[in-house]
């Protein structure tokens, strides 16, 4: 059902919404063009400030840190978000509203051209990454301090929920899949789970510290997948690499034309690609559905009060319903990403049948 809704919404956004332009009237009688497409992608994208709830024209400023042709520059984003040039020393900066560098801070040169400096600003997405990291560390340290102080007494409230999630993921996914390798890779996998879960939940919030659609940003999901890719292949065993370059298949499938080795090697790179697209598409689709349902109120405002009233009721109800679904999807996507990462690491660290028999034999000798 969720996939059907995402597909329908994507088709609607691609074909119908770009053609819509609604004129809104301000208090002084000035007409402002309302373009749903720009609003959708503005909310899904990054920014140099944090939107203030119920006020689309004001933002919480964030630090802008640039390295231009004349050195470092640091100032608050409120200096340039109004569309006016800002002079910092001998350099002038502005955020263009159109063109190649639309929405990015650029330096205005003496000849009138625009120069894109090195940008290491604390944008909305970067700030939310820091917040998610702090939440992950707080979760781990809170449960750890509790057990150091109370030993085997079960924690309650928030600590109890966090420990329940840890036990659910570790005992339900990591330990059955990795076995004696669980202690080695468990910390990484649990960190990935809580990091994605917090990013998903923060993205559903409208007000600070939420509102940034990080898991709906393919760059973020790609980096998370690359971490899984690196762990899988760096700790890959001889058996893992043997199954890639010399798999256990008939000889004619791997010599003289290496058909199966090419397929296996291609699969090494398609696994992280699947992780990237799965998380990105599901979370971006959920955000897009909620935004489109909300924009229906403004899109149908031109058809009169009666249509607007009915549309408002249905839009609000369906938006709330989709938000509740997205809360569940946030947990499911974090769980699925962790589960698939666990499976990929298990494939990479597989020791083979001979090693398993040898390990079991050594264990039985030690017991005897």
């Amino acid at each position: 059902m969720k996939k059907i809704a995402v597909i329908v919404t994507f088709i609607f956004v691609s074909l119908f919404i770009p053609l819509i332009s609604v004129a809104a009237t301000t208090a002084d009688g000035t007409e402002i063009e309302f373009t749903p497409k720009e609003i959708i992608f503005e909310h899904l994208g990054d920014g140099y400030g944090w939107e203030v709830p119920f006020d689309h024209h004001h933002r919480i400023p964030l630090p802008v840190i640039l390295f231009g042709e004349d050195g470092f520059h640091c100032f608050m984003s409120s200096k340039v978000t109004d569309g006016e040039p800002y002079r910092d020393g001998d350099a002038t900066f502005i955020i263009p509203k159109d063109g190649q560098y639309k929405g990015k801070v650029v330096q205005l040169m003496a000849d009138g051209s625009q120069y894109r400096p090195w940008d290491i600003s604390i944008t909305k997405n970067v700030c939310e990454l820091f917040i998610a990291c702090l939440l992950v560390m707080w979760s781990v340290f809170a449960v750890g301090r509790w057990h150091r102080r109370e030993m085997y007494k079960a924690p309650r409230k928030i600590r109890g929920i966090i420990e329940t999630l840890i036990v659910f993921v570790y005992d339900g996914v990591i330990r059955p899949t990795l076995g004696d390798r669980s202690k080695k890779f468990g910390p990484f996998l649990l960190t990935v789970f809580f990091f994605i879960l917090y990013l998903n939940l923060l993205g559903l919030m409208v007000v600070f510290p939420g509102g940034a659609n990080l898991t709906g940003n393919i760059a973020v999901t790609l980096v998370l997948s690359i971490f899984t890719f690196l762990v899988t292949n760096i700790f890959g065993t001889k058996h893992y690499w043997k199954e890639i370059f010399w798999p256990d298949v008939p000889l004619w499938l791997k010599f003289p034309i290496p058909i199966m080795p090419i397929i296996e090697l291609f699969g090494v790179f398609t696994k992280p690609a699947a992780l990237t697209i799965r998380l990105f598409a599901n979370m971006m689709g959920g955000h897009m559905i909620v935004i489109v349902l909300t924009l229906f109120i403004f899109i149908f405002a031109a058809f009169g009060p009666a249509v607007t009233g009915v549309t408002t009721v249905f839009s609000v109800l369906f938006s709330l319903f989709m938000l509740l679904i997205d809360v569940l999807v946030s947990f499911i996507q974090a769980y699925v990403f962790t589960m698939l990462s666990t499976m990929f690491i298990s494939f990479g660290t597989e020791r083979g049948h001979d090693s398993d028999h040898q390990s079991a034999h050594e264990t039985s000798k030690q017991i005897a």
Side-chain angles (χ1 to χ4, degrees):
M1 184 66 183
K2 177 71 179 295
K3 291 183 178 179
I4 296 176
V6 171
I7 293 172
V8 172
T9 305
F10 180 77
I11 294 174
F12 179 83
V13 172
S14 301
L15 301 180
F16 184 55
I17 284 187
L19 304 177
I20 298 176
S21 179
V22 181
T25 305
T26 61
D28 58 356
T30 306
E31 286 193 352
I32 302 175
E33 190 178 31
F34 172 76
T35 307
K37 178 183 175 182
E38 293 183 1
I39 294 177
I40 290 173
F41 288 101
E42 181 180 353
H43 281 278
L44 294 177
D46 199 1
Y48 290 98
W50 223 296
E51 290 85 357
V52 177
F54 310 109
D55 190 349
H56 187 68
H57 301 287
H58 295 86
R59 297 191 174 200
I60 301 173
L62 294 172
V64 177
I65 307 172
L66 305 170
F67 184 74
E69 289 191 338
D70 54 345
F72 277 101
H73 296 270
C74 184
F75 49 88
M76 299 304 291
S77 61
S78 57
K79 303 292 185 180
V80 290
T81 50
D82 293 332
E84 297 295 329
Y86 171 70
R87 191 170 184 84
D88 185 52
D90 296 331
T92 304
F93 299 95
I94 193 173
I95 298 181
K97 295 184 179 180
D98 51 21
Q100 180 183 0
Y101 302 120
K102 179 182 178 182
K104 302 296 183 181
V105 177
V106 298
Q107 183 175 352
L108 295 178
M109 309 305 292
D111 58 356
S113 61
Q114 297 178 350
Y115 170 73
R116 181 81 168 96
W118 288 94
D119 194 342
I120 53 174
S121 304
I122 308 298
T123 62
K124 181 173 64 173
N125 284 354
V126 175
C127 190
E128 184 122 306
L129 279 174
F130 292 152
I131 293 173
C133 291
L134 291 175
L135 287 174
V136 172
M137 290 189 292
W138 171 80
S139 301
V140 174
F141 294 149
V143 175
R145 284 196 304 269
W146 171 270
H147 284 291
R148 282 196 299 269
R149 185 174 64 251
E150 304 292 340
M151 296 300 291
Y152 297 105
K153 186 178 179 180
R156 298 178 181 274
K157 299 180 180 179
I158 300 297
R159 292 189 185 93
I161 296 174
I162 295 171
E163 185 178 35
T164 301
L165 291 174
I166 293 174
V167 173
F168 177 75
V169 175
Y170 188 80
D171 291 344
V173 176
I174 299 175
R175 183 185 292 175
T177 306
L178 294 176
D180 58 351
R181 295 157 288 171
S182 301
K183 292 184 179 180
K184 183 176 182 179
F185 299 104
F188 165 72
L189 293 168
L190 285 171
T191 301
V192 169
F193 171 79
F194 279 102
F195 185 68
I196 295 175
L197 179 62
Y198 284 136
L199 287 182
N200 291 345
L201 295 178
L202 287 171
L204 298 179
M205 299 170 59
V206 179
V207 298
F208 181 87
N213 182 33
L214 274 177
T215 46
N217 186 328
I218 196 169
V220 176
T221 58
L222 176 62
V223 171
L224 292 172
S225 301
I226 287 175
F227 283 139
T228 298
F229 171 80
L230 292 176
V231 171
T232 302
N233 291 280
I234 289 175
F235 293 95
T237 60
K238 293 180 180 179
H239 177 77
Y240 168 73
W241 292 109
K242 174 186 173 296
E243 288 298 319
I244 292 175
F245 294 106
W246 197 257
D248 189 14
V249 294
L251 184 62
W252 63 272
L253 288 175
K254 50 189 177 183
F255 182 83
I257 301 177
I259 299 175
M260 287 304 299
I262 291 175
I263 294 175
E264 292 291 341
L265 185 61
F266 183 72
V268 171
F269 298 97
T270 57
K271 290 173 184 176
L275 286 177
T276 301
I277 300 300
R278 179 188 295 273
L279 181 60
F280 159 72
N282 279 280
M283 298 314 301
M284 187 192 70
H287 285 273
M288 189 175 291
I289 290 173
V290 174
I291 295 174
V292 170
L293 289 174
T294 305
L295 289 178
F296 278 153
I297 300 172
F298 305 96
I299 292 172
F300 288 98
F303 294 94
V307 177
T308 304
V310 175
T311 305
T312 301
V313 173
F314 280 98
S315 295
V316 171
L317 291 177
F318 276 109
S319 297
L320 292 175
F321 173 74
M322 288 306 304
L323 281 173
L324 293 176
I325 294 295
D326 278 338
V327 172
L328 178 61
V329 170
S330 298
F331 171 79
I332 292 175
Q333 290 304 315
Y335 178 81
V336 169
F337 192 100
T338 306
M339 180 181 65
L340 292 176
S341 297
T342 305
M343 292 176 60
F344 296 157
I345 293 173
S346 175
F347 296 153
T349 57
E350 186 179 359
R351 291 183 288 265
H353 298 294
D354 296 337
S355 299
D356 291 341
H357 287 312
Q358 183 179 358
S359 178
H361 180 65
E362 292 177 356
T363 305
S364 62
K365 288 177 62 179
Q366 292 175 0
I367 295 174

